[in-house]
Amino acid sequence: MFTGLIQSIGQVRALKQQERSAQLQITSSLVKEDLQLGESIAVNGACLTVVAWDKNSFTVDVSPETLSCTTLGHLKGNQAVNLERALRLSDRLGGHLVSGHIDCVATVKSRYEDQNAIRFEFGVPTEMSRYIVEKGSVAVDGISLTVNKVGTETFSVAVIPHSLEMTTLKDCREGGRVNIETDLLGRYVERLLSGGDPRSTAQKVDFDFLAKNGFL
């Protein structure tokens, strides 16, 4: 698990594409003596496992599934990436609980200044927008952000100067693509309301539903 608070910006040293998978090497200040083989690091929000490291960089394997649902396969040499090591039980939870499992890729629809903040609007698939709620949390390239507005296929956030400077969002422009992880709570609620059947559509919670299930 992660918090969505970016600890460092790394640089892509190499991306070795294989038939359907890849291996990614990243230069980072997070490489310290206590880094362990097999530990998890979120790279632009995607949870990856350290398979090798030296004094300046670490290497992770990227599976076909991860390549298919993230932007990682399109990274270029020297490109900046957001990094966060896994949450320890003794850490402060300054953002929100982030699993590192990307739900979809979004496109930057607009970016503009609003007083001391930069507002971003992202386009997402319709089936994903139902998991995004106003004033709720969302992870954009691994960054924990508060949702301002939600549309059928869009949502917007406001980013303060500090968050902008400490993450890759400072380089994000219209047309750019980012990894999105929605809040886990919405998925669990949907699963519970559907009776545990992943093929079912979640039932609407209204007065009829509450009465039928003994809440009224």
Side-chain angles (χ1 to χ4, degrees), residues 162-191:
H162 175 79
S163 297
L164 198 71
E165 184 60 30
M166 299 303 294
T167 68
T168 58
L169 282 180
K170 63 178 178 291
D171 300 319
C172 202
R173 297 293 186 269
E174 290 185 17
R177 300 169 75 244
V178 293
N179 297 321
I180 299 295
E181 181 186 331
T182 59
D183 199 335
L184 286 172
L185 181 60
R187 290 187 172 277
Y188 281 115
V189 169
E190 181 180 68
R191 179 79 171 189

Short mmCIF file of all heavy atoms in Angstrom, two decimals, residues 162-191:
data_model
loop_
_atom_site.label_atom_id
_atom_site.label_comp_id
_atom_site.label_asym_id
_atom_site.label_seq_id
_atom_site.Cartn_x
_atom_site.Cartn_y
_atom_site.Cartn_z
N HIS A 162 3.23 23.73 -4.43
CA HIS A 162 4.17 22.76 -3.86
C HIS A 162 4.00 21.39 -4.51
O HIS A 162 4.99 20.76 -4.92
CB HIS A 162 3.96 22.63 -2.35
CG HIS A 162 4.80 21.57 -1.72
ND1 HIS A 162 6.15 21.76 -1.43
CD2 HIS A 162 4.50 20.29 -1.32
CE1 HIS A 162 6.64 20.65 -0.90
NE2 HIS A 162 5.67 19.75 -0.82
N SER A 163 2.77 20.92 -4.62
CA SER A 163 2.52 19.61 -5.24
C SER A 163 2.93 19.61 -6.70
O SER A 163 3.43 18.60 -7.21
CB SER A 163 1.03 19.25 -5.12
OG SER A 163 0.65 19.12 -3.77
N LEU A 164 2.72 20.73 -7.35
CA LEU A 164 3.10 20.83 -8.76
C LEU A 164 4.61 20.71 -8.93
O LEU A 164 5.11 19.97 -9.78
CB LEU A 164 2.62 22.17 -9.33
CG LEU A 164 2.54 22.29 -10.85
CD1 LEU A 164 1.40 21.45 -11.38
CD2 LEU A 164 2.36 23.75 -11.25
N GLU A 165 5.35 21.42 -8.07
CA GLU A 165 6.80 21.44 -8.19
C GLU A 165 7.44 20.12 -7.81
O GLU A 165 8.48 19.74 -8.36
CB GLU A 165 7.38 22.55 -7.30
CG GLU A 165 8.89 22.73 -7.40
CD GLU A 165 9.35 23.09 -8.81
OE1 GLU A 165 8.58 23.73 -9.55
OE2 GLU A 165 10.49 22.72 -9.16
N MET A 166 6.83 19.37 -6.89
CA MET A 166 7.42 18.14 -6.37
C MET A 166 6.99 16.89 -7.12
O MET A 166 7.36 15.78 -6.73
CB MET A 166 7.06 17.98 -4.88
CG MET A 166 7.56 19.10 -3.99
SD MET A 166 9.36 19.35 -4.07
CE MET A 166 9.93 17.82 -3.35
N THR A 167 6.24 17.07 -8.21
CA THR A 167 5.76 15.92 -8.98
C THR A 167 5.92 16.19 -10.47
O THR A 167 6.28 17.30 -10.88
CB THR A 167 4.28 15.62 -8.69
OG1 THR A 167 3.47 16.68 -9.20
CG2 THR A 167 4.03 15.47 -7.19
N THR A 168 5.59 15.19 -11.27
CA THR A 168 5.69 15.34 -12.72
C THR A 168 4.54 16.14 -13.31
O THR A 168 4.53 16.42 -14.51
CB THR A 168 5.73 13.96 -13.41
OG1 THR A 168 4.53 13.23 -13.05
CG2 THR A 168 6.96 13.17 -12.98
N LEU A 169 3.56 16.53 -12.49
CA LEU A 169 2.45 17.33 -13.01
C LEU A 169 2.92 18.68 -13.56
O LEU A 169 2.25 19.27 -14.39
CB LEU A 169 1.40 17.55 -11.92
CG LEU A 169 0.46 16.38 -11.62
CD1 LEU A 169 -0.52 16.76 -10.51
CD2 LEU A 169 -0.30 15.97 -12.87
N LYS A 170 4.07 19.15 -13.09
CA LYS A 170 4.56 20.44 -13.60
C LYS A 170 4.85 20.38 -15.10
O LYS A 170 4.84 21.41 -15.78
CB LYS A 170 5.82 20.87 -12.83
CG LYS A 170 7.03 19.97 -12.95
CD LYS A 170 8.21 20.57 -12.19
CE LYS A 170 9.43 19.67 -12.23
NZ LYS A 170 9.23 18.42 -11.44
N ASP A 171 5.11 19.19 -15.61
CA ASP A 171 5.39 19.03 -17.05
C ASP A 171 4.19 18.52 -17.82
O ASP A 171 4.28 18.28 -19.03
CB ASP A 171 6.56 18.06 -17.24
CG ASP A 171 7.84 18.54 -16.55
OD1 ASP A 171 8.11 19.76 -16.63
OD2 ASP A 171 8.53 17.71 -15.94
N CYS A 172 3.07 18.32 -17.14
CA CYS A 172 1.89 17.73 -17.78
C CYS A 172 1.09 18.79 -18.51
O CYS A 172 0.72 19.82 -17.94
CB CYS A 172 1.02 17.07 -16.71
SG CYS A 172 -0.08 15.82 -17.34
N ARG A 173 0.83 18.56 -19.79
CA ARG A 173 0.11 19.53 -20.63
C ARG A 173 -1.09 18.86 -21.29
O ARG A 173 -1.27 17.65 -21.22
CB ARG A 173 1.05 20.09 -21.71
CG ARG A 173 2.25 20.86 -21.16
CD ARG A 173 1.80 22.16 -20.49
NE ARG A 173 2.94 22.99 -20.09
CZ ARG A 173 3.54 22.92 -18.91
NH1 ARG A 173 3.11 22.01 -18.02
NH2 ARG A 173 4.54 23.71 -18.60
N GLU A 174 -1.91 19.68 -21.95
CA GLU A 174 -3.08 19.15 -22.65
C GLU A 174 -2.66 18.07 -23.64
O GLU A 174 -1.67 18.22 -24.36
CB GLU A 174 -3.81 20.27 -23.38
CG GLU A 174 -4.51 21.25 -22.45
CD GLU A 174 -5.31 22.28 -23.22
OE1 GLU A 174 -5.58 22.05 -24.43
OE2 GLU A 174 -5.67 23.32 -22.63
N GLY A 175 -3.40 16.99 -23.65
CA GLY A 175 -3.09 15.86 -24.52
C GLY A 175 -2.22 14.82 -23.85
O GLY A 175 -2.07 13.70 -24.37
N GLY A 176 -1.63 15.15 -22.70
CA GLY A 176 -0.81 14.19 -21.98
C GLY A 176 -1.65 13.06 -21.39
O GLY A 176 -2.86 13.21 -21.20
N ARG A 177 -1.02 11.93 -21.11
CA ARG A 177 -1.72 10.76 -20.58
C ARG A 177 -1.16 10.41 -19.21
O ARG A 177 0.06 10.45 -19.00
CB ARG A 177 -1.59 9.58 -21.54
CG ARG A 177 -2.17 9.88 -22.91
CD ARG A 177 -1.80 8.82 -23.95
NE ARG A 177 -2.58 7.60 -23.76
CZ ARG A 177 -2.06 6.43 -23.44
NH1 ARG A 177 -0.77 6.32 -23.23
NH2 ARG A 177 -2.83 5.37 -23.31
N VAL A 178 -2.05 10.10 -18.29
CA VAL A 178 -1.66 9.81 -16.90
C VAL A 178 -2.37 8.55 -16.41
O VAL A 178 -3.44 8.19 -16.90
CB VAL A 178 -2.01 10.99 -15.97
CG1 VAL A 178 -1.16 12.20 -16.29
CG2 VAL A 178 -3.49 11.34 -16.05
N ASN A 179 -1.75 7.90 -15.42
CA ASN A 179 -2.34 6.72 -14.79
C ASN A 179 -3.33 7.14 -13.71
O ASN A 179 -3.04 8.04 -12.92
CB ASN A 179 -1.24 5.85 -14.17
CG ASN A 179 -0.28 5.30 -15.20
OD1 ASN A 179 -0.69 4.91 -16.29
ND2 ASN A 179 1.00 5.26 -14.86
N ILE A 180 -4.47 6.46 -13.67
CA ILE A 180 -5.51 6.79 -12.70
C ILE A 180 -5.82 5.57 -11.82
O ILE A 180 -6.03 4.46 -12.32
CB ILE A 180 -6.81 7.23 -13.38
CG1 ILE A 180 -6.58 8.48 -14.23
CG2 ILE A 180 -7.93 7.46 -12.36
CD1 ILE A 180 -6.20 9.72 -13.45
N GLU A 181 -5.84 5.79 -10.51
CA GLU A 181 -6.36 4.80 -9.58
C GLU A 181 -7.48 5.43 -8.78
O GLU A 181 -7.27 6.43 -8.09
CB GLU A 181 -5.28 4.27 -8.62
CG GLU A 181 -5.83 3.21 -7.67
CD GLU A 181 -4.86 2.76 -6.60
OE1 GLU A 181 -3.64 2.81 -6.85
OE2 GLU A 181 -5.33 2.35 -5.52
N THR A 182 -8.69 4.89 -8.90
CA THR A 182 -9.82 5.41 -8.15
C THR A 182 -9.76 4.92 -6.71
O THR A 182 -8.98 4.02 -6.37
CB THR A 182 -11.15 4.97 -8.79
OG1 THR A 182 -11.20 3.53 -8.82
CG2 THR A 182 -11.25 5.50 -10.22
N ASP A 183 -10.60 5.51 -5.85
CA ASP A 183 -10.63 5.14 -4.45
C ASP A 183 -11.15 3.71 -4.30
O ASP A 183 -12.16 3.34 -4.91
CB ASP A 183 -11.52 6.10 -3.67
CG ASP A 183 -11.24 6.07 -2.18
OD1 ASP A 183 -10.73 5.04 -1.69
OD2 ASP A 183 -11.51 7.08 -1.50
N LEU A 184 -10.48 2.91 -3.50
CA LEU A 184 -10.87 1.50 -3.30
C LEU A 184 -12.27 1.35 -2.72
O LEU A 184 -12.96 0.37 -3.01
CB LEU A 184 -9.87 0.83 -2.36
CG LEU A 184 -8.48 0.49 -2.90
CD1 LEU A 184 -7.59 0.01 -1.76
CD2 LEU A 184 -8.57 -0.58 -3.97
N LEU A 185 -12.71 2.31 -1.91
CA LEU A 185 -13.99 2.18 -1.21
C LEU A 185 -15.15 1.96 -2.17
O LEU A 185 -16.03 1.13 -1.93
CB LEU A 185 -14.23 3.42 -0.34
CG LEU A 185 -15.52 3.42 0.49
CD1 LEU A 185 -15.54 2.24 1.45
CD2 LEU A 185 -15.66 4.73 1.25
N GLY A 186 -15.17 2.73 -3.27
CA GLY A 186 -16.27 2.62 -4.22
C GLY A 186 -16.39 1.23 -4.81
O GLY A 186 -17.50 0.71 -4.99
N ARG A 187 -15.27 0.59 -5.09
CA ARG A 187 -15.30 -0.75 -5.67
C ARG A 187 -15.83 -1.78 -4.67
O ARG A 187 -16.58 -2.69 -5.04
CB ARG A 187 -13.90 -1.14 -6.14
CG ARG A 187 -13.44 -0.36 -7.37
CD ARG A 187 -12.14 -0.92 -7.89
NE ARG A 187 -11.79 -0.31 -9.16
CZ ARG A 187 -12.26 -0.71 -10.34
NH1 ARG A 187 -13.13 -1.71 -10.40
NH2 ARG A 187 -11.89 -0.12 -11.45
N TYR A 188 -15.44 -1.65 -3.41
CA TYR A 188 -15.93 -2.59 -2.41
C TYR A 188 -17.42 -2.42 -2.18
O TYR A 188 -18.15 -3.42 -2.03
CB TYR A 188 -15.16 -2.41 -1.09
CG TYR A 188 -13.80 -3.05 -1.10
CD1 TYR A 188 -12.64 -2.29 -1.02
CD2 TYR A 188 -13.68 -4.44 -1.19
CE1 TYR A 188 -11.38 -2.89 -1.06
CE2 TYR A 188 -12.43 -5.05 -1.21
CZ TYR A 188 -11.28 -4.27 -1.14
OH TYR A 188 -10.04 -4.87 -1.17
N VAL A 189 -17.91 -1.17 -2.17
CA VAL A 189 -19.34 -0.93 -2.00
C VAL A 189 -20.12 -1.56 -3.15
O VAL A 189 -21.14 -2.23 -2.96
CB VAL A 189 -19.63 0.58 -1.90
CG1 VAL A 189 -21.13 0.85 -1.99
CG2 VAL A 189 -19.07 1.15 -0.61
N GLU A 190 -19.63 -1.36 -4.39
CA GLU A 190 -20.30 -1.93 -5.55
C GLU A 190 -20.33 -3.45 -5.47
O GLU A 190 -21.35 -4.08 -5.77
CB GLU A 190 -19.60 -1.49 -6.83
CG GLU A 190 -20.26 -2.02 -8.09
CD GLU A 190 -19.56 -1.59 -9.35
OE1 GLU A 190 -18.41 -2.04 -9.57
OE2 GLU A 190 -20.14 -0.79 -10.10
N ARG A 191 -19.24 -4.04 -5.06
CA ARG A 191 -19.16 -5.50 -4.95
C ARG A 191 -20.15 -6.04 -3.92
O ARG A 191 -20.85 -7.03 -4.15
CB ARG A 191 -17.73 -5.89 -4.55
CG ARG A 191 -17.50 -7.38 -4.37
CD ARG A 191 -17.33 -8.09 -5.67
NE ARG A 191 -16.90 -9.47 -5.46
CZ ARG A 191 -16.51 -10.28 -6.42
NH1 ARG A 191 -16.49 -9.86 -7.66
NH2 ARG A 191 -16.14 -11.52 -6.15
#
